[in-house]
Structures are given as structure tokens and as C-alpha cells.
Amino acid sequence: MLLRSLTAQTPSRIPLLRPFSTGSGWRTCKNFLSDSPARRPRLYPVGTARHCSSDSDMATKHLDDSHERIFENNRKWVEAMKAEDPEFFVKLGSGQSPEYLYIGCSDSRVPANQIMGLGPGEVFTTRNIANLVPNTDLSVMSVINYAVRHLKVKHIVVCGHYGCGGVKSAMISADLGLLNPWLRNIRDVYRLHEDELDSIPEPQRYDRLVELNVIEQCRNVIKTAAVQQSYEKEGFPVVHGWVFDLNDGLLKDLKVDFEKMLKGIKKLYNLSAAPPTAEEPSASEPLAKRQREE
Amino acid sequence: MSSNGERGRRAELCGSDEHPHPRPHHKQQSRPEANAIAIPTAENDQFAYALSSNEAWAGYKNHQNPTFFPKLAAGQSPSILWLGCSDSRVPETTLLGLQPGDVFVHRNIANVISPTDINSSAVIEYAVAHLKVSHIVLCGHTCCGGAAAALGDSRVGGVLDTWLTPLKAIRRDHAEELAAIKDAGDRAIRLAELNVEKGVQNLLANYVVEEHIRTRNIKVHGVVYDIASGKIRDLRVGNASVMPGAGKEMAAPSKMEVLQGNHGVLIFKEGGSAMTVG
């Protein structure tokens, strides 16, 4: 698998990220390794560019240096893609059908596409502080709804990362104003696993809290009606929990047992019945009736 | 938003052969038998592909620069906060040509910035007040499903209608202008632009953003990304084209804005065009 990824991709997978960045598209590894540095757009070393006398000086310098090469790369890429599939850009412009929904942290060090090695069009993404899925947050609930019901994604990934600033901030005994209500979700995760976490020394305790937070957010994803109904009907999406390690760039699969988790959740959070149609009585009526009978 | 015309028809292409991107050999998951474990394990599965992709990427980055990950682990100091759409075709680091560590990111459906949305508000607060970013880029895009849905008249369903209410409100505010645009795609682009403009206004009115514009002169940019060409267009609706404190347009010769990441640069040029450098 890995070997195939590195060397023997179907040719059409190779150039996706090529023109945009020298370092972001691992998928172009083969090309990178065979590229002479001179062929790549030159990067200004960190620090030097910031010391240019003004932004416009720097911009002019930058444009002079890199403008042509970048557009040349872009033109080549367009030609390569079109040679394989004349309709490539027409299709890209006409719609998306990603296989993945990625729910991750806003942290700048964890760019979804790069760490997964996937190109434009392949991952529907939402990112927020500490990759949370609070059940009353309409933003993330809308994302899940759209991804599952309309895009029909096959996999939902909740991805946390060690050294998460949000998770650390949440455990500080301080009033953080607007961040309080958001970060409180993490304190709730701690409370759910208090005994286990209390028994672990710092800093490992934070690493475990990051993992448990991912697992709890997976639970929250599975609690949604969209996921339960789609899985019952179609057999997807499957929910996964990952943690990204900044120290080596590797993803750790927490091996969330989706089936088991789903079964456990349905005991209390079963929303898999379809919503009542217009002809049927209102949603509250059967419940009221049932309660009367009880 | 499958109930909305052209966009809906496109969304329904999911899983069909008409996919814009080639994929790893994906085996369609069939409905699992009772008690069967649904976690895909086949080596040709999408999921396994992403994980092995990651391994290859990490190995390559480490080979290229052994201090890359240790440095990353030491902390982040991004200069850009990116507020964009969840759409899979708009991956920010790819289209900005930037690297891990450069850009703090929030993405939601149709890049809506509502003043009372706790999710985006928390991101903005954290990025501006704690990480002290210098630039906020709000990015809309062409072919946006959210914009198309807001231009339709049928219910999308679930929580989505509520989420898209700000777009509906913009549609009502600009009903005449939008109705005059014949092409549905162009109309959606115009709504996406107006949505960015509104979002930028909300950002400029945000207490933390206001305070940091005053004290640190941070810049708010509103842009639209054209999916079919890969280019970013600066709508010049933020405070970036205004001289600090002067309240007027910058002098003509320096009408150029540079966003400096740690590894790459984004340049806004006069005439609304922009380019990315990796």
C-alpha cells in the first residue's frame, strides 16, 4: 500500500498538488525527489523576507523571481490534467463528491489535506478550537448534516493532536471570557474520565485527554440523526478517531469500534427513525400517547 | 442541497463514475450484515489509503528536514487566520501554497460569519487575542452549494436551513440586483461575494478584532476563490486597502498587499488579482 502510494500511483493521482506548493503535496514525492531544486519555486528563507524595506519592494522582488515559474508550473499542470481527462476542470467546477468529512483542530500545524495526502475535492472539512462536536453548535451540526445527507461521505474522521493549545487552555483555572463556553466541553470530557486521568502523571495526562476528547467527539458525531439514519440505510459513514503527533508527523488511529459505539449510543440517543412526513401526526404525539399508556 | 437545481443534480453524482478526481481503488461498502464489523480493513480502502498517505508524507518531510516536526511541536505562531468554506475543493494550505504552521483555520458551511456563532467566535478570539495573527482572510468561492441553496426556494432540511438564514437575509436585501443576473452560477457567485462582504463587516464589528485593529493594526481581507481557475480575487472590502489611521485609500504605487507565512507568501495586487507562492 505504502509502496504503491509512493511510487506507483495511477498517473492521474500524481500531479494534483504539484503547482501550488513545493512541500505540501507528498503525493508528488517521486517528482520532488527527481526535481532539481532549481526547478522549484524558490522560497525566501524565514526572516530575510520579513526584513525587506517594504511590502511592495518585497512583492516586486517576489513577483520578478517567482511569477513566471509558478504560472509556468500551473500551465504544465493544467495541460497534464487535461491530457489525462479533458473534462477535469469542467468537473472540478461542477461539483464535489468527497469520500471524507474531516473534523479537526484549527491549529495551524495540522492541515487536513497535507497530513492525509489528499488533494482538492477529496476532503470536506471543518476545523474549530480543539476539534469539538458540541450537540448545540449549529455550525458543526450543519457540516455533518450536509456531508452525510447531501455529499454522502463514506468516512467521518475526528482528528485531534497532541500538544493541543485548546485542550491545555481548557484545564487552566482561569476565566477566558468568550472561550469559556466553548472550552467547557473539554472539562466535561475530563469529568467523564476523571478517575483514569487523575491517575496519570503530567504531561502524559494531557496526551490522554487529547485522545479521550477525540473519542468523546466521535460519540457526539454518532449521536446525530444524519449519521444513524444513513448508516442504517446505506452502511456508511463509518466514524474514526485519529490523533496527529506533531513530533513525527504521524497519525495515530485510536481504533474506535464504530459498530460497538453506535450500539451503545442507540440505547439512549436513537434517532434512526425517519422524521414524520406531513401526513403523519406531529412528532410529539406518539411520544405523548406512549407516555399515557405507560 | 440536493433539492436545488443544478447544484443538487451535481451533488447527486456522489459515488458515480463522474467524479472530478481519481481515487484510490475504492470498494463501495455494502450494507453490513447484522453484527458485522463495518470498519474497513481492505488494503485498497480509502481509509487505509489516507493513513498510508500520512506515513509517506511524514517520512518525506522528515527526510527533507529532520528538524521540521520537532520545530512544529515547539509551538505555533501563524500570521494568518483563514475563515473559509468546508467545501472539499478549497483546501487553504494547498491553494495558498503555505506550510503546516502558517495558517490558523476555521471552515464551516458557506463561510458564514455570524456575530453569535460561538464556534467561529471562539476561533477568532483565540487567533486574534491569544495567537496574535496579523491577517484575517475571509474566503468565499464560486460554485458554493450553500449560496445555491440560499437562492433556491425549497427547504434543505435538518439544521441547514437555520444555518443558511444569513445568506437568505442577504438574498432578500439584494433581491433586485440578484434577480437581474440571468446566469444561475453568476448569481451564486454574486451572493458569495455579498456574503463575504457581510462577513467582513461582522468581523470589523467584532470587539476583539476592533481592539486589535486599533492596537496592532491587524488586517481583514475579503476574497473569493475561483474553483475552476484556482485564482483568488481580492474583493477589497476589508480594512487592508486603507492606510493605518488615515481612513483613505493607499497611494497608487504601493497598492499591493503581502501576507507573509513562515514558508510562503500570498500577494494581493492592484486590480483585484492575486497569486500564491509556495
Side-chain angles (χ1 to χ4, degrees):
Chain A
M1 187 62 211
L2 175 60
L3 196 65
R4 195 193 86 204
S5 310
L6 270 172
T7 57
Q9 300 103 326
T10 48
S12 55
R13 287 191 70 82
I14 295 172
L16 269 180
L17 300 177
R18 173 114 187 96
F20 297 110
S21 162
T22 54
S24 63
W26 72 268
R27 215 185 291 169
T28 61
C29 284
K30 198 173 73 168
N31 310 48
F32 285 152
L33 296 172
S34 60
D35 263 0
S36 72
R39 280 181 54 207
R40 299 181 206 147
R42 191 158 70 84
L43 292 181
Y44 283 88
V46 178
T48 55
R50 289 177 194 276
H51 294 132
C52 281
S53 57
S54 75
D55 277 359
S56 64
D57 277 4
M58 187 186 133
T60 309
K61 194 166 173 332
H62 214 89
L63 286 170
D64 288 349
D65 271 22
S66 313
H67 186 271
E68 281 179 24
R69 199 176 302 132
I70 282 159
F71 283 88
E72 177 64 14
N73 282 345
N74 181 246
R75 198 182 54 74
K76 279 183 191 160
W77 175 67
V78 169
E79 275 173 16
M81 296 315 286
K82 278 185 178 168
E84 275 166 32
D85 178 3
E87 296 292 299
F88 180 82
F89 288 102
V90 181
K91 286 178 188 168
L92 194 59
S94 77
Q96 60 173 333
S97 48
E99 298 276 337
Y100 300 90
L101 164 61
Y102 173 96
I103 301 172
C105 185
S106 290
D107 194 299
S108 62
R109 298 164 295 175
V110 195
N113 286 76
Q114 280 164 308
I115 63 171
M116 292 166 79
L118 299 175
E122 296 189 294
V123 200
F124 199 69
T125 307
T126 187
R127 289 169 62 181
N128 61 43
I129 306 281
N131 42 272
L132 295 177
V133 185
N135 69 87
T136 53
D137 176 44
L138 285 187
S139 178
V140 68
M141 287 300 137
S142 297
V143 167
I144 293 171
N145 193 312
Y146 188 65
V148 174
R149 292 219 159 118
H150 299 271
L151 298 174
K152 305 198 183 304
V153 296
K154 306 297 182 296
H155 303 274
I156 298 179
V157 172
V158 177
C159 185
H161 65 101
Y162 297 121
C164 180
V167 171
K168 275 187 186 148
S169 303
M171 299 318 295
I172 296 172
S173 308
D175 175 1
L176 295 174
L178 184 69
L179 291 169
N180 291 341
W182 187 256
L183 296 178
R184 209 203 70 173
N185 292 291
I186 298 164
R187 293 182 201 260
D188 291 343
V189 171
Y190 195 110
R191 191 164 56 85
L192 283 170
H193 302 274
E194 200 168 350
D195 292 342
E196 181 189 347
L197 288 165
D198 280 350
S199 69
I200 304 172
E202 289 186 43
Q204 290 89 333
R205 188 188 297 169
Y206 283 113
D207 288 349
R208 185 60 186 149
L209 181 55
V210 163
E211 293 174 0
L212 290 170
N213 181 45
V214 166
I215 292 167
E216 288 304 325
Q217 304 317 316
C218 287
R219 265 198 189 102
N220 289 344
V221 172
I222 298 172
K223 285 173 190 169
T224 62
V227 170
Q228 290 181 20
Q229 288 172 15
S230 171
Y231 190 74
E232 190 156 299
K233 195 164 163 249
E234 318 267 9
F236 58 78
V238 177
V239 179
H240 311 273
W242 292 355
V243 178
F244 181 70
D245 192 339
L246 295 165
N247 285 298
D248 56 17
L250 291 170
L251 285 167
K252 178 178 173 187
D253 184 0
L254 296 177
K255 305 211 186 299
V256 167
D257 187 337
F258 175 70
E259 275 286 310
K260 195 176 157 199
M261 195 180 259
L262 178 68
K263 205 172 275 179
I265 279 168
K266 275 190 166 177
K267 189 187 164 216
L268 290 177
Y269 301 88
N270 193 341
L271 302 177
S272 57
T277 58
E279 296 81 45
E280 281 176 299
S282 72
S284 59
E285 208 173 299
L287 185 66
K289 200 176 159 202
R290 213 181 312 141
Q291 280 166 347
R292 273 200 306 275
E293 282 166 5
E294 280 164 11
Chain B
M1 317 195 175
S2 53
S3 55
N4 281 282
E6 185 64 0
R7 181 65 194 83
R9 192 188 62 75
R10 287 159 184 161
E12 282 160 19
L13 295 176
C14 300
S16 76
D17 288 332
E18 293 181 60
H19 189 266
H21 291 284
R23 286 143 188 274
H25 314 288
H26 179 253
K27 204 165 59 183
Q28 187 77 24
Q29 281 175 286
S30 56
R31 189 176 176 175
E33 298 304 316
N35 301 323
I37 301 295
I39 293 172
T41 50
E43 70 150 14
N44 60 356
D45 186 86
Q46 288 267 325
F47 176 74
Y49 179 83
L51 277 180
S52 68
S53 293
N54 163 254
E55 208 175 317
W57 174 78
Y60 177 70
K61 288 306 251 190
N62 191 48
H63 169 78
Q64 197 186 32
N65 177 6
T67 63
F68 184 81
F69 289 114
K71 268 188 191 162
L72 268 193
Q76 65 171 335
S77 53
S79 59
I80 302 165
L81 165 61
W82 175 272
L83 303 168
C85 184
S86 291
D87 193 299
S88 61
R89 296 163 299 176
V90 197
E92 67 296 327
T93 38
T94 305
L95 63 92
L96 290 177
L98 299 178
Q99 288 287 313
D102 279 342
V103 51
F104 199 71
V105 178
H106 173 63
R107 290 168 64 180
N108 64 36
I109 300 277
N111 45 272
V112 171
I113 303 298
S114 292
T116 53
D117 168 34
I118 187 68
N119 192 329
S120 59
S121 300
V123 171
I124 293 162
E125 171 104 6
Y126 193 80
V128 173
H130 297 267
L131 296 174
K132 304 218 181 315
V133 296
S134 319
H135 297 273
I136 302 175
V137 180
L138 175 56
C139 181
H141 67 98
T142 60
C143 320
C144 181
L151 286 168
D153 293 318
S154 48
R155 252 194 99 160
V156 186
V159 291
L160 283 162
D161 295 286
T162 305
W163 180 253
L164 293 172
T165 305
L167 283 167
K168 287 269 192 181
I170 295 169
R171 178 191 168 186
R172 292 171 66 92
D173 284 348
H174 299 265
E176 223 168 277
E177 183 193 348
L178 289 166
I181 302 171
K182 292 280 174 289
D183 182 74
D186 290 344
R187 209 178 307 130
I189 293 173
R190 183 61 190 142
L191 185 59
E193 288 174 0
L194 291 166
N195 179 37
V196 168
E197 209 174 315
K198 182 75 188 168
V200 166
Q201 283 165 16
N202 286 338
L203 283 167
L204 293 171
N206 177 302
Y207 177 80
V208 180
V209 175
E210 211 174 26
E211 186 184 301
H212 285 256
I213 288 175
R214 206 167 52 237
T215 56
R216 297 195 292 119
N217 192 29
I218 65 169
K219 297 285 169 64
V220 179
H221 310 260
V223 305
V224 167
Y225 174 73
D226 180 14
I227 284 182
S229 75
K231 285 181 182 156
I232 294 172
R233 192 156 44 90
D234 186 2
L235 297 179
R236 309 192 75 81
V237 291
N239 66 338
S241 56
V242 176
M243 286 288 273
K248 61 176 187 241
E249 287 289 306
M250 279 169 89
S254 55
K255 272 194 174 175
M256 208 177 272
E257 179 73 22
V258 178
L259 298 196
Q260 170 74 63
N262 289 325
H263 305 274
V265 178
L266 175 65
I267 299 169
F268 290 101
K269 285 193 300 181
E270 174 60 346
S273 64
M275 68 167 243
T276 62
V277 177

